[in-house]
Amino acid sequence: MLDTSNPNNYCYKTKSIELHILGGLQLNKLESLRVTLSIEKLTKTKAVLNILRQSIDLYNDNQTEKLVRKCAERLEIGTSVIRKTLQELTKELENYRFLLSSKQAELQKAFIKTLTAKEEKEAIQFLQSKNLLEKTNELIGKSGVIGEVDNRILMYLIFTSRKTKNPLHCISLGSSGVGKTHLQSKVAELIPEEDKVEITVLSANAFYYFNRTELQHKLILIEDLDGAESVLYPLRELQSKKRITKTVVHKDRKGNTKTIHLTVEGPVSVAGCTTQESIYEDNSNRSFLLYIDESEEQDQRIMQYQRFLSAGKLNEQEQIEAKNILQNVQRILKPIKVINPYAEYLELPQSVFKPRRTNSHYLQFIEAITFYKQWQRHRHYDEQTGEEYIETTIEDIQEANELITEVLLRKSDTITGACRNHLESLKDYLKVNNQTTFTNAEIRRNLRVKETTLRRYNKQLLVEDYIKKIKGKKGQLYHYEIVDVDEYTNLKEQIDKALQDCLANINLASSS
């Protein structure tokens, strides 16, 4: 009989042998039964003459036979006796591991919250309310997300898209200490626990050992992309192909080698934070890039919040209620197909880089808004397949355009986000001081930029022809001048016009 009262030291005893399983059982690798055994021969006297300790995979026939011979030689036990005992032990451990796995699965199922009738009614009423995105954004603010008005609703909708067939992904970018991780973690708190997986550090192969459907429609949160480099490749595959597969070599009970395919199914929504935009280009191409607000106004908002928190003047109950409503809203949303009847009229501005992938993101984002508004949409049914679906409205496209303009603007830029932020700060400084030229020393002193950082920015701006170097007066330092002060404003106007033209074409087609 197997005694499992001590979870780290199971005991199995027969008339002549006592075995201890040290360290318990592994539940994640059912294809093997690796244990550490302590084997001793029972004698009439209490003194233990000899103990044999051995780590072994009980499913490996070769290893088991070697252990049988070793026990027979060292402990003077008959081979048939020890072989039979190991077979019985293996069966007992199999049954107990199956029981543990079943309990674990039940606990995971029990973790999924079931809404009460009142909670369900409240969530449905919220989803049916007018100006849903505006009200959602207000609730996100009440839940404790300070500022970042556009980024927070964008991120919430991207996280919501995990329930669709084509989820969206995002990367939060900004300087160290500006609140990238804080924004991501606070918005992620609005997603039910059972729908997300948080990652700090994982090995390169860790993703391949999830259960086949364990990650389906989950939100994967990476606190710092710099600490998760080893898993970026399988993550990219999950994003693009919606599944990952790894082939490994495995030995069966008889010692025969065979090939096993480990497959993990998606789709998933992935979110991460980093300060280094250019390093993760392959990942950023698949994601919405959300640049954190580093303005002085945002600094003041955050510091004021911190002061209120320290003084105990925050309405914590309001935060909890807002969080609960938004979590319950997520639980109410059900998978449903979205069709955009206006998709053929939607064209991106020509200035956007990598237009194929960006166009796909744009259409998926509109679908995510429609999906979020599913309780306000009439249900249609495909005449041929009978599949249920809802349709995108012009209002959905208008709201998407308002939120996505900044994303498309960044996607159309030829310099990195950090460099763009520096250039815009530079323009503001020159405008305030009524200047057209500047020196490095002046900018370092007044904008408080490190010399190495400024040198890197200037190199990029010179290569892309945003600034030019001009000679100062004799004996003075080099001066720099901005080539076109209005280039970013003009680019934004081009994007706005392109999006407005799309809406005009849709309205024209609808009225005709």
Side-chain angles (χ1 to χ4, degrees):
M1 187 72 179
L2 183 66
D3 179 5
T4 59
S5 55
N6 185 341
N8 294 314
N9 186 358
Y10 303 155
C11 180
Y12 185 77
K13 190 183 291 186
T14 66
K15 291 181 180 179
S16 56
I17 306 171
E18 184 172 318
L19 299 97
H20 289 268
I21 297 85
L22 309 176
L25 285 172
Q26 289 185 349
L27 300 180
N28 57 337
K29 293 184 178 180
L30 299 180
E31 70 275 8
S32 63
L33 189 58
R34 181 163 288 281
V35 293
T36 299
L37 296 177
S38 170
I39 306 171
E40 61 183 89
K41 181 180 179 181
L42 297 177
T43 59
K44 292 180 181 179
T45 60
K46 291 186 178 179
V48 178
L49 299 175
N50 200 359
I51 297 176
L52 177 64
R53 295 179 178 86
Q54 179 76 45
S55 289
I56 180 175
D57 180 1
L58 291 172
Y59 285 171
N60 189 312
D61 196 54
N62 290 336
Q63 290 183 20
T64 307
E65 279 302 310
K66 285 181 182 179
L67 181 62
V68 167
R69 291 195 295 270
K70 188 181 287 187
C71 287
E73 180 183 337
R74 192 174 299 180
L75 301 180
E76 297 180 352
I77 302 173
T79 54
S80 58
V81 174
I82 186 63
R83 188 180 290 113
K84 183 182 178 183
T85 302
L86 288 175
Q87 288 172 351
E88 291 171 350
L89 173 65
T90 301
K91 189 173 181 180
E92 289 281 349
L93 289 175
E94 272 183 337
N95 293 336
Y96 185 64
R97 184 167 68 170
F98 177 75
L99 183 65
L100 286 178
S101 298
S102 300
K103 285 182 179 179
Q104 191 180 58
E106 285 177 13
L107 285 173
Q108 288 176 345
K109 286 181 181 178
F111 183 71
I112 299 173
K113 180 181 176 181
T114 302
L115 298 185
T116 64
K118 182 182 177 182
E119 288 173 330
E120 186 174 334
K121 183 180 179 181
E122 185 181 33
I124 292 172
Q125 285 178 343
F126 180 80
L127 285 170
Q128 290 174 337
S129 59
K130 291 183 178 180
N131 303 319
L132 177 59
L133 293 192
E134 186 180 327
K135 290 184 177 179
T136 300
N137 208 349
E138 288 174 7
L139 269 188
I140 295 172
K142 288 179 181 179
S143 72
V145 182
I146 308 305
E148 300 289 357
V149 176
D150 287 342
N151 279 342
R152 70 194 189 193
I153 185 65
L154 265 169
M155 190 176 282
Y156 184 76
L157 289 169
I158 289 167
F159 290 176
T160 301
S161 73
R162 76 191 184 283
K163 291 196 163 193
T164 67
K165 289 183 179 179
N166 297 299
L168 295 164
H169 320 280
C170 67
I171 296 177
S172 300
L173 296 147
S175 307
S176 179
V178 298
K180 301 179 299 296
T181 306
H182 176 75
L183 175 64
Q184 178 175 286
S185 61
K186 291 298 285 185
V187 178
E189 286 178 6
L190 311 176
I191 305 300
E193 289 294 328
E194 63 266 24
D195 283 359
K196 59 190 178 185
V197 177
E198 299 187 48
I199 294 173
T200 48
V201 178
L202 275 180
S203 65
N205 293 321
F207 267 103
Y208 297 100
Y209 290 100
F210 281 99
N211 292 335
R212 188 182 186 99
T213 59
E214 193 175 349
L215 293 180
Q216 267 188 343
H217 300 292
K218 290 289 194 295
L219 170 62
I220 298 176
L221 298 161
I222 305 172
E223 187 175 308
D224 189 348
L225 288 171
D226 299 341
E229 290 183 37
S230 59
V231 299
L232 292 184
Y233 174 72
L235 268 179
R236 286 198 295 270
E237 292 296 292
L238 265 176
Q239 287 173 304
S240 298
K241 298 179 180 177
K242 300 182 178 60
R243 66 156 55 187
I244 50 174
T245 301
K246 184 181 180 68
T247 303
V248 295
V249 177
H250 170 71
K251 285 188 177 181
D252 61 17
R253 296 185 186 184
K254 296 181 179 179
N256 299 321
T257 302
K258 63 177 182 177
T259 302
I260 294 177
H261 300 289
L262 303 176
T263 300
V264 178
E265 301 282 356
V268 297
S269 178
V270 181
C273 304
T274 183
T275 57
Q276 306 179 68
E277 178 181 348
S278 56
I279 293 180
Y280 305 105
E281 186 177 356
D282 282 345
N283 292 78
S284 64
N285 287 338
R286 293 167 169 81
S287 308
F288 276 59
L289 304 183
L290 307 182
Y291 291 88
I292 301 301
D293 184 358
E294 300 184 34
S295 66
E296 290 184 10
E297 293 82 1
Q298 177 68 356
D299 290 341
Q300 291 301 321
R301 283 191 288 266
I302 291 173
M303 288 188 288
Q304 182 71 6
Y305 176 82
Q306 291 168 343
R307 287 189 283 266
F308 280 174
L309 180 64
S310 181
K313 291 186 176 181
L314 288 178
N315 189 340
E316 294 186 7
Q317 185 60 34
E318 183 183 60
Q319 290 189 2
I320 293 169
E321 287 175 1
K323 197 181 298 182
N324 287 339
I325 290 173
L326 290 173
Q327 283 187 352
N328 291 342
V329 159
Q330 291 289 319
R331 293 184 174 105
I332 285 292
L333 294 171
K334 303 300 180 186
I336 189 168
K337 184 178 180 180
V338 175
I339 289 181
N340 183 355
Y342 307 106
E344 59 186 305
Y345 301 103
L346 299 173
E347 292 184 16
L348 288 178
Q350 293 180 350
S351 57
V352 172
F353 289 126
K354 296 184 173 61
R356 296 181 185 180
R357 183 161 275 166
T358 306
N359 184 62
S360 175
H361 290 166
Y362 176 45
L363 295 174
Q364 285 171 233
F365 184 65
I366 294 171
E367 289 177 15
I369 291 177
T370 306
F371 176 82
Y372 187 57
K373 293 181 171 184
Q374 60 181 250
W375 283 92
Q376 302 180 14
R377 294 289 181 267
H378 175 70
R379 303 296 171 108
H380 301 271
Y381 296 89
D382 189 295
E383 292 181 359
Q384 295 181 345
T385 63
E387 185 180 14
E388 188 180 42
Y389 68 91
I390 55 177
E391 289 188 346
T392 295
T393 65
I394 296 175
E395 181 189 52
D396 297 342
I397 298 170
Q398 287 174 329
E399 289 179 323
N401 288 352
E402 290 170 10
L403 290 171
I404 210 171
T405 300
E406 180 67 23
V407 174
L408 294 178
L409 188 58
R410 296 286 191 169
K411 288 273 189 181
S412 305
D413 211 349
T414 55
I415 54 178
T416 63
C419 191
R420 169 54 67 186
N421 291 341
H422 168 72
L423 180 57
E424 294 308 302
S425 298
L426 190 57
K427 289 176 184 178
D428 292 339
Y429 170 78
L430 294 176
K431 185 177 180 181
V432 168
N433 292 278
N434 198 25
Q435 293 177 220
T436 57
T437 64
F438 60 93
T439 64
N440 282 341
E442 178 186 8
I443 297 306
R444 284 202 308 272
R445 182 174 62 254
N446 290 288
L447 295 186
R448 300 174 69 184
V449 183
K450 291 182 180 179
E451 183 183 1
T452 52
T453 305
L454 184 59
R455 195 182 302 128
R456 187 174 72 249
Y457 289 157
N458 283 348
K459 182 180 179 182
Q460 191 176 158
L461 292 171
L462 284 166
V463 168
E464 297 292 343
D465 201 31
Y466 284 95
I467 63 173
K468 62 182 178 181
K469 189 183 288 187
I470 57 176
K471 287 187 177 181
K473 294 179 182 178
K474 196 171 183 180
Q476 289 186 343
L477 298 170
Y478 271 108
H479 284 61
Y480 296 89
E481 185 177 48
I482 294 177
V483 175
D484 183 3
V485 177
D486 298 322
E487 48 83 25
Y488 202 52
T489 306
N490 293 336
L491 181 60
K492 186 177 187 303
E493 288 175 354
Q494 289 175 23
I495 292 172
D496 284 336
K497 185 178 183 303
L499 296 177
Q500 289 301 321
D501 287 346
C502 290
L503 282 173
N505 292 333
I506 290 171
N507 287 321
L508 186 65
S510 299
S511 60
S512 60

